[in-house]
Amino acid sequence: MSPLPYLDPSLPIPARVRDLLGRLTLDEKIGLMHNQSKAVPRLGIPAYNYWSEALHGVLASGMTVFPQAIGLAATWDTGLMQRVASAISDEARANHHAALERQGFTDFGQGLTYWSPNINIFRDPRWGRGQETYGEDPFLTGEIGAAFVRGLQGDDPRYLKTAACAKHFAVHSGPEGDRHHFDARPSRRDLRDTYLPAFKKLVTEAKVEAVMGAYNRVDGQPACVNEQLMVKILREEWEFDGHFVSDCWALQDIHANHKFTADAVETAALALRRGCDLACGCNTYESIAEAIARGLVSEADLDRALGRTLTTRMRLGMFDPPEMVPYASIPVSVIDCDAHRDLARRAAVQSFVLLKNEKNIL
C-alpha cells in the first residue's frame, strides 16, 4: 500500500507539509507549536523537544567537550571550527537515534535542532554569557559562526545533519539583569555594521536553518515581534526561509514585562503574524485558539508557522525511513571517541593567545 503523502519521500517537502497540515486538528497543531512538541500518535508523530544546545559540544552526559566558544573563536581557524562542529553533529546524531530507539521519543539534549551558535557581539564585560560568543569583532563572528553552521548542518544535498540556530536576534549583549525589559536603541550604522553582519552571513551564505529572537526590545518593539527585524530584514531583505524560535519565556515578556501587548492572547496573535514559528518555555502559544476565536489571527497564520518547523523536521529526515538518511547510521561509538578527544585537545592548543608586553602596559 502506498504511504500517506506526508510520509512519501518521493514527493517534494512543501507538498508533504501541506498534506500533513491538512490532517491535523487545531488542537494538534497548537500542541506542535512549543519547544516540547506533543506527540500525535494517530499520525505516527512522536513527542519531540526542539531544545538542544551545542555551543562547544552536545549538552548531554558523556559527550566530547570542546573549548568554549570564545576560545574557539580565538583560533581564527575556520577549517578547524568546521571540523569541530562536524564532530559535534556526529555525536548529536548518534545520541538522537540511540534515545529514539531506547524510549520512542526525544527530550532535552536528544534532538537534532541545536540552538547554537550564539553570534551576539560581546561588548560589555559584565555580560555573563559573553564567553558563549565569538567576541567583539563582527567579521570574525560571521566567519567562525558560518563555519560552525556548515559543520553542524552537513553537506548532504537532501538532508540536514542537524539544524543550527543563529541567536539571539538582535542587539542582545547584556547586562543580563536588564534583558527582560531593556530597549536597545542602536544607531542605524551600529545596527548594520556591528550587530547584523554575522546574522546576515549565517542566513544568506551558511543557510542556517533557524534564528532565535532575543528578550530585549529593539527600537521600541520586542525582538520576537519586531517588524523591522523579523519581516523587513530577515524575511524580505535576506530571504530567510527557515524557522524562527523565541528565546525561552521571551513571548511572556512581551505582555508581562515590556507591556507591549495587553495579554497572552494578543502576544500569541502578534508573534504569529510577525513570524515567530515556535515558542520556548512559556505557554503563550496555548492562547492561539482564543486568538483565532477573537479574530486576531487566522488558522492560515498558524499553518504558515507550523509549516516552517515541520519543514525543518522533514529536512532532518524525521518522517523518512532511516535507511534513506545517511546520518542515521552514525554509531554511538563516535561519542567521546579518541579522535574527537584529540580534536578537542588540538582546538584547545590553537585557542591559546600569547601577548607580548613590549611597552609594559599589560
Side-chain angles (χ1 to χ4, degrees), residues 65-84:
V65 178
F66 293 90
Q68 180 55 285
I70 198 76
L72 291 169
T75 68
W76 288 74
D77 189 335
T78 55
L80 176 62
M81 187 61 158
Q82 186 162 339
R83 291 193 294 277
V84 166

Side-chain angles (χ1 to χ4, degrees), residues 93-245:
R93 268 285 176 178
N95 183 55
H96 171 77
H97 293 293
L100 198 59
E101 183 176 345
R102 182 174 63 250
Q103 60 202 29
F105 63 92
T106 48
D107 209 337
F108 175 84
Q110 300 173 335
L112 294 177
T113 44
Y114 280 85
W115 293 347
S116 307
N118 183 343
I119 56 170
N120 292 134
I121 300 302
F122 187 21
R123 273 191 163 179
D124 189 333
R126 297 172 297 173
W127 189 31
R129 295 183 68 176
Q131 36 80 28
E132 292 185 4
T133 75
Y134 301 133
E136 75 280 7
D137 184 338
F139 176 77
L140 176 63
T141 296
E143 293 295 318
I144 291 288
F148 189 84
V149 167
R150 292 184 179 108
L152 275 191
Q153 296 193 165
D155 57 5
D156 187 83
R158 178 175 181 137
Y159 293 105
L160 290 168
K161 194 177 184 186
T162 62
C165 177
K167 66 183 187 185
H168 309 84
F169 192 61
V171 201
H172 179 76
S173 56
E176 199 72 356
D178 294 335
R179 64 184 184 174
H180 296 286
H181 55 81
F182 179 66
D183 186 9
R185 291 184 174 270
S187 68
R188 185 175 179 183
R189 177 175 179 178
D190 209 18
L191 179 67
R192 291 288 183 168
D193 288 357
T194 304
Y195 291 106
L196 294 187
F199 284 101
K200 181 178 181 180
K201 187 174 186 69
L202 267 60
V203 168
T204 63
E205 296 183 30
K207 305 300 181 184
V208 70
E209 183 67 12
V211 170
M212 176 181 283
Y215 291 112
N216 53 278
R217 279 170 285 158
V218 181
D219 291 328
Q221 293 190 0
C224 289
V225 291
N226 191 291
E227 184 175 17
Q228 177 70 14
L229 291 175
M230 298 169 66
V231 180
K232 295 181 180 178
I233 293 176
L234 186 63
R235 294 291 181 186
E236 296 177 2
E237 183 179 329
W238 296 347
E239 299 181 340
F240 176 64
D241 62 358
H243 72 265
F244 188 102
V245 56

